[in-house]
Amino acid sequence: MSNDVSELSFVRDKTIANATSFGGSLIFLILLAVWFIGIFALGINQLIKERAFLKKLDKLSELLTDGTSIETKNRLIEEMGIKKDFRVFMNSVIPSPFIIGFVKPRIFLSKNSLSDLETELILKHEMTHLKAKDYFYRRLMFILCVMYWFNPAVHIFLDKFIEINEMACDEATLKNCSAGERLTYAKLLRDMACSKPDIENIICLTGKTAINLQRRIINI
């Protein structure tokens, strides 16, 4: 009888061990593998695409040399009290401007024919992002989305964060501007709305949608 009880106890303990230790570890390993696959698909893959696009963009971009634009840039630096050094590049690849880089910021502008007022508004918008360190915060948000790629609430939060961030930047850019200048700015947003597919490879632009743009224009 004693031997039977011992054998039953051994079988019971072995079954429990298999169910809790091996079985639990297997499920954990599967979930961990799925999590890492998601991180690679959303994060590492996106970083690789961004790096390739920026490498291509660097080859096709030229440092800003237009005298009037440089004067506008220097005046805005003084007016806005920007301390951090940055460079401005022009190219014909992107339809809309953006800023990238935290240690060595770079602003990329399109070579599209723009008036002096339009150039100033665009520069002021991007320089407002620079002053507020928005690129850094967007990178943090991107990391959060990569880590919690399975949670739709995080991605919705990112989209709302960028929309509110852009609206705040719009308001700062248009402070003390006339109705005519605001109309010019709204038209600029509309004209630059049709982005080429390649520009979506830039992580800092994640969240731009037609609905976001419509709300921004209404807010202006």
Side-chain angles (χ1 to χ4, degrees):
M1 183 70 178
S2 179
N3 290 334
D4 292 339
V5 172
S6 298
E7 289 177 2
L8 287 173
S9 297
F10 174 78
V11 172
R12 182 199 63 188
D13 293 342
K14 186 177 180 182
T15 304
I16 292 174
N18 286 339
T20 57
S21 180
F22 178 76
S25 297
L26 182 61
I27 293 173
F28 173 76
L29 289 174
I30 291 174
L31 292 176
L32 188 64
V34 172
W35 183 56
F36 274 115
I37 290 172
I39 289 176
F40 177 81
L42 181 63
I44 299 176
N45 186 46
Q46 185 67 35
L47 287 170
I48 292 172
K49 286 182 178 179
E50 181 189 84
R51 186 176 179 84
F53 177 68
L54 287 176
K55 197 171 181 180
K56 170 186 173 183
L57 195 61
D58 284 336
K59 292 179 180 179
L60 299 173
S61 299
E62 300 173 356
L63 193 64
L64 182 68
T65 56
D66 178 67
T68 304
S69 298
I70 291 176
E71 287 179 7
T72 300
K73 171 193 167 185
N74 293 335
R75 175 169 54 80
L76 289 174
I77 288 175
E78 186 176 347
E79 290 177 359
M80 298 171 68
I82 294 177
K83 306 296 183 182
K84 198 170 188 66
D85 186 36
F86 66 96
R87 293 185 295 173
V88 181
F89 294 88
M90 306 287 292
N91 66 80
S92 56
V93 178
I94 59 170
S96 57
F98 67 90
I99 182 171
I100 193 166
F102 181 70
V103 178
K104 296 180 179 180
R106 291 174 292 167
I107 294 176
F108 288 94
L109 304 179
S110 174
K111 277 187 177 180
N112 294 338
S113 298
L114 298 172
S115 66
D116 292 342
L117 173 61
E118 290 172 331
T119 301
E120 179 174 347
L121 290 172
I122 290 174
L123 269 175
K124 189 175 181 181
H125 179 96
E126 299 306 323
M127 289 167 68
T128 301
H129 280 307
L130 173 65
K131 185 178 180 180
K133 300 181 177 63
D134 290 334
Y135 178 76
F136 173 73
Y137 295 118
R138 290 193 185 192
R139 282 286 180 173
L140 289 181
M141 288 299 303
F142 172 72
I143 292 172
L144 183 66
C145 280
V146 170
M147 299 298 292
Y148 295 94
W149 58 264
F150 52 85
N151 190 342
V154 176
H155 297 275
I156 293 172
F157 179 74
L158 172 64
D159 188 63
K160 292 296 181 183
F161 173 83
I162 292 180
E163 180 181 356
I164 293 171
N165 179 247
E166 288 294 341
M167 285 184 174
C169 195
D170 292 337
E171 290 179 6
T173 301
L174 296 173
K175 187 178 181 180
N176 299 323
C177 285
S178 65
E181 290 170 333
R182 288 175 178 269
L183 181 60
T184 299
Y185 188 80
K187 288 180 178 178
L188 272 174
L189 292 182
R190 182 201 62 192
D191 294 342
M192 294 185 296
C194 299
S195 61
K196 297 178 182 179
D198 275 349
I199 204 171
E200 298 305 325
N201 290 327
I202 302 297
I203 291 171
C204 64
L205 296 181
T206 303
K208 285 191 174 183
T209 65
I211 295 176
N212 295 150
L213 181 65
Q214 184 179 14
R215 284 197 284 256
R216 284 179 64 189
I217 292 176
I218 292 173
N219 189 59
I220 292 173

